[in-house]
Amino acid sequence: MMRAVVFDHHGPIENLVMRDLPIPEIGPDQCLIKVRAVSLNGFDPMVLRGIPGLKTPLPMIPGADIMGVIEKIGADVPEERFSIGQRVGIDPSTETGMMGETRRGGMCEYLAVEERFLVPIPDGVTDHQAACLPTAYATAHRMLFTRGQLQAGEKVLILGASGGVGTSCIQLAVSAGAEVVAVSSSAAKLAALKDLGAQHVIDGSQEDFVDAVWRIYGKPRTRGGEGGVDVCVNYSGGDSWAKSFRTVCKGGRILTCGATGGYDPKTDIRYIWSFEHKILGCNGWERVDHLQILQMIADGRFSPVIDRVVDMGDIQEAMRDLAERRVTGKVVLEVGP
């Protein structure tokens, strides 16, 4: 038997319980992973509460960002690909669904995973760092560079900057030579974002972020192209969506990979055509993004922001802090040695 975090019904955080479950059997194309660490993501509380239109089979084990060690290898897994005792990450986006959403996730001691979803962890990347990938960092990488074509010297506004995707975007944008404006909601969080390299920080609880951008860079103009930022990262949606268009210069880009604050916001179409804005969506990541992020960490170019490391048994408190936005970066749950 193994320990696992499980919820049987959608609802409050108290529905998350520890339970003993059978260790899964592996198929011929799978490996048995002894899970060492899992990190939380912003969608975890949403899945727990229930997302309209998303069918989550119950009972569900949460957890999409997972690292562990190979304990058993299926008969059809090529010997040259993986070995017993090898450290691996997992790509949680599978053909049968996202782990922790529509397929059981990694908050458990053992996991049976198809070999094609395993990602080798290079030397120089710690267990805790590897457990922060790929959901936030690999998505941020694809959104900023593959989709957004962010360039050195450009100005980028990041809303919700203290979350997992937000801190990822700050670090990646700074490493690319961009000038970063980060928006969050407390002095402590803003200080942490400054430490990550954000050149400007805005306390959204004290100042409207549109006014702040105009104060820093000037008001965007349809003629002359001056004022505003080149790129706005908005994965919140909701009330901030329409306002984002007022911060972006002529020909600038609005990037999104989610809608944590509401998926059906108002949009003022006049800004899109008069400023010739580009709206670019990013639906997760590709394997290459995961591998590139791992290599960047191994090369020492940056390290994932870890708010804290806690035992898997402390899941309720960790999830509550995440849901109530008392977290900067990632919370990592230790599952086993």
Side-chain angles (χ1 to χ4, degrees):
M1 302 293 282
M2 66 173 184
R3 293 188 310 151
V5 173
V6 180
F7 63 91
D8 295 301
H9 306 284
H10 292 295
I13 288 168
E14 288 73 20
N15 284 9
L16 291 169
V17 296
M18 295 291 296
R19 182 179 301 159
D20 287 339
L21 295 176
I23 294 174
E25 298 288 334
I26 60 171
D29 65 337
Q30 293 183 316
C31 293
L32 183 68
I33 308 301
K34 183 173 175 55
V35 179
R36 285 186 175 176
V38 182
S39 71
L40 298 182
N41 284 291
F43 62 75
D44 289 326
M46 299 165 61
V47 174
L48 174 60
R49 289 193 301 267
I51 299 176
L54 180 69
K55 243 183 194 179
T56 299
L58 300 172
M60 172 56 66
I61 298 174
D65 288 342
I66 309 156
M67 78 73 51
V69 174
I70 296 177
E71 185 136 317
K72 291 182 183 178
I73 296 178
D76 293 346
V77 176
E79 291 182 4
E80 67 274 12
R81 288 275 293 161
F82 294 102
S83 58
I84 301 293
Q86 184 176 358
R87 296 190 311 142
V88 292
I90 296 172
D91 184 341
S93 182
T94 74
E95 297 101 335
T96 56
M98 181 78 170
M99 292 183 180
E101 286 187 357
T102 57
R103 174 172 170 169
R104 284 187 169 185
M107 289 187 198
C108 52
E109 292 180 309
Y110 292 92
L111 198 59
V113 182
E114 290 81 354
E115 168 263 337
R116 63 186 177 278
F117 299 122
L118 300 182
V119 179
I121 298 173
D123 294 337
V125 179
T126 70
D127 291 356
H128 293 161
Q129 289 173 329
C132 294
L133 312 177
T135 303
Y137 278 91
T139 297
H141 184 274
R142 186 166 187 268
M143 176 168 60
L144 288 177
F145 302 117
T146 305
R147 300 290 294 150
Q149 297 293 301
L150 183 67
Q151 303 294 318
E154 289 192 308
K155 302 180 286 290
V156 54
L157 171 68
I158 301 171
L159 305 182
S162 60
V165 174
T167 53
S168 306
C169 286
I170 291 174
Q171 291 177 282
L172 292 172
V174 169
S175 71
E179 183 173 320
V180 173
V181 185
V183 182
S184 193
S185 58
S186 74
K189 289 182 177 180
L190 294 176
L193 301 183
K194 269 277 195 183
D195 289 342
L196 291 180
Q199 287 87 347
H200 306 280
V201 292
I202 299 169
D203 186 341
S205 68
Q206 301 296 319
E207 183 178 16
D208 184 272
F209 69 84
V210 176
D211 293 338
V213 169
W214 291 2
R215 171 174 53 79
I216 297 168
Y217 296 119
K219 185 177 179 180
R221 305 289 180 184
T222 57
R223 299 185 184 278
E226 298 178 354
V229 296
D230 301 288
V231 177
C232 175
V233 175
N234 184 336
Y235 60 92
S236 302
D239 294 339
S240 68
W241 180 251
K243 294 169 64 175
S244 296
F245 291 84
R246 300 167 61 196
T247 67
V248 180
C249 68
K250 185 176 181 180
R253 290 97 77 200
I254 296 97
L255 310 182
T256 181
C257 65
T260 57
Y263 63 87
D264 190 24
K266 178 180 177 180
T267 299
D268 189 336
I269 297 174
R270 293 173 298 178
Y271 281 93
I272 299 174
W273 58 258
S274 61
F275 283 88
E276 299 183 340
H277 287 155
K278 303 177 185 71
I279 304 170
L280 300 168
C282 175
N283 187 16
W285 65 94
E286 301 291 343
R287 185 182 180 89
V288 64
D289 300 296
H290 195 170
L291 292 170
Q292 287 176 345
I293 290 293
L294 280 167
Q295 195 57 53
M296 291 174 73
I297 298 170
D299 293 343
R301 282 183 272 173
F302 75 92
S303 178
V305 179
I306 297 176
D307 186 275
R308 73 196 81 161
V309 178
V310 301
D311 184 80
M312 183 171 67
D314 296 323
I315 178 61
Q316 287 193 10
E317 180 182 355
M319 191 76 81
R320 187 172 290 107
D321 285 345
L322 178 67
E324 295 178 6
R325 300 185 179 182
R326 293 195 291 264
V327 170
T328 300
K330 300 282 280 181
V331 175
V332 176
L333 306 179
E334 284 192 329
V335 180

